[in-house]
Amino acid sequence: MDVGVVFQLDPPAESVIRLAEEAERAGFSHVWSFDSHLLWQEPFVIYSQILARTEKIIVGPMVTNPGTRDWTVTASLFATLNEMYGNRTICGIGRGDSALRTLGAAPTNLAQLRECVHVVRELANGRSVTYRDRELRFPWVDRSALEVWVAAYGPKALALTGEVADGFILQLADPDIAAWMINAVRTAAERAGRDPAAIKFCVAAPAYVGDDLAHQREQTRWFGGMVGNHVADIVSRYGASGAVPAVLTDYIAGRQGYDYAEHGRAGNAHTGFVSDDIVDRFCVLGPAEEHVRRLTELRKLGVDQFAVYLQHDGKEDTLAAYGEHVIPTINALPG
């Protein structure tokens, strides 16, 4: 199982780059970042510096969207970095949340997401594609290779993921929900005539290593608020009808809006509806042994990567604990 890490791109960028270097030394496989240009700095600029100062780490957004850049620009960014640094990028993509809502726009629809996945992947892999009624290809791309992983929660988005994506990103670490979501993606892949085993699965969630569980909960409660945005969209479309597991639809009953000025930040003021139980289910908290136990459980479900959201006050200690204890133990497991 790979272990990645997810950063917000708060200035100074040098701090993020330094943490990425620490992550590589600790054995992390991927460095992901938020991609929301009104809230944080531009990821692709920072990716170039991370790639220049590391040797193996793979970088990419968790997640980008079809709405804030022309799709050919997105493909060109990935292909350029791959040409410069040897195929060390990955594209996580979804319908869009903070990046579009802070512009006053709604997330894109699934038809646009499906087409965007196709256009970005084909161009970044050096193939031709029809876009805006034109046949396009980058003449300078001959060795770039890019996988596109889709982030999803709702039933139609999960089906799309199984039909077209190279990987699935689930942003919460509850094993029961993960099993349900992974099965939905695999079922959709099989119905589409794809090999379900060919799709990679990434679970992403806050992880905080330590013994003060009450403090860890307060530092990671923001995550339940962020997930609640996506769940609220699902409930508005399907109601509490069983379209997704009830624990997702039930927990947002007390939700009263969201302030993107505090998006993804510890201690924000709009997560009172997120109970301790939800924090414990969605995040990975406690001593290193508990992290190993949860990651082992996820691994048995077929999860290929766990990505640590590192938005709390114990960033460096958690990176070090993963490097010293969690990653070596997971790597030593048979199979």
Side-chain angles (χ1 to χ4, degrees), residues 8-11 34-43 98 260 263-265:
Q8 288 175 339
L9 300 182
D10 291 311
F34 286 41
D35 179 14
S36 192
H37 61 287
L38 290 180
L39 299 177
W40 298 288
Q41 294 182 316
E42 170 56 39
S98 61
Y260 281 96
H263 186 59
R265 299 199 182 277

Side-chain angles (χ1 to χ4, degrees), residues 38-110:
L38 290 180
L39 299 177
W40 298 288
Q41 294 182 316
E42 170 56 39
F44 287 93
V45 177
I46 297 173
Y47 294 159
S48 186
Q49 287 297 301
I50 292 173
L51 291 168
R53 287 166 53 173
T54 56
E55 296 180 359
K56 297 180 180 179
I57 211 91
I58 296 169
V59 302
M62 188 179 282
V63 294
T64 193
N65 66 86
T68 53
R69 299 181 188 88
D70 186 87
W71 304 346
T72 61
V73 172
T74 300
S76 180
L77 289 165
F78 284 111
T80 300
L81 290 174
N82 282 342
E83 188 275 329
M84 293 173 68
Y85 299 106
N87 292 333
R88 293 169 54 201
T89 69
I90 188 167
C91 178
I93 193 168
R95 293 175 56 232
D97 181 45
S98 61
L100 293 176
R101 294 190 196 273
T102 53
L103 288 171
T108 58
N109 62 46
L110 290 177

Side-chain angles (χ1 to χ4, degrees), residues 107-187:
T108 58
N109 62 46
L110 290 177
Q112 291 172 312
L113 177 59
R114 180 187 296 271
E115 186 181 1
C116 180
V117 168
H118 175 70
V119 169
V120 169
R121 183 167 51 205
E122 294 304 292
L123 288 174
N125 281 282
R127 298 186 287 265
S128 61
V129 67
T130 301
Y131 177 61
R132 296 182 179 175
D133 298 322
R134 293 177 178 268
E135 190 77 8
L136 304 177
R137 182 179 179 277
F138 295 145
W140 47 272
V141 172
D142 58 2
R143 291 187 300 273
S144 174
L146 179 72
E147 291 187 352
V148 181
W149 295 16
V150 173
Y153 293 104
K156 291 182 179 179
L158 292 168
L160 180 150
T161 303
E163 291 161 5
V164 305
D166 298 303
F168 166 48
I169 297 171
L170 173 61
Q171 296 175 85
L172 54 82
D174 182 300
D176 293 336
I177 296 174
W180 190 95
M181 299 283 188
I182 288 170
N183 181 67
V185 171
R186 285 175 171 161
T187 299

Side-chain angles (χ1 to χ4, degrees), residues 1-3 23-29 209 288-289 291-292 295-296 299 318-334:
M1 174 190 259
D2 288 335
V3 180
E24 180 169 76
R25 287 193 293 269
F28 286 80
S29 59
V209 179
E289 294 76 13
H291 293 247
V292 170
L295 268 61
T296 301
R299 183 175 178 263
T318 293
L319 278 179
Y322 263 71
E324 293 171 13
H325 303 292
V326 180
I327 293 174
T329 304
I330 293 297
N331 286 344
L333 294 174

Side-chain angles (χ1 to χ4, degrees), residues 4-7 16 20 23 29-33 47 50 57-61:
V5 61
V6 188
F7 295 125
V16 176
S29 59
H30 292 65
V31 167
W32 304 86
S33 80
Y47 294 159
I50 292 173
I57 211 91
I58 296 169
V59 302

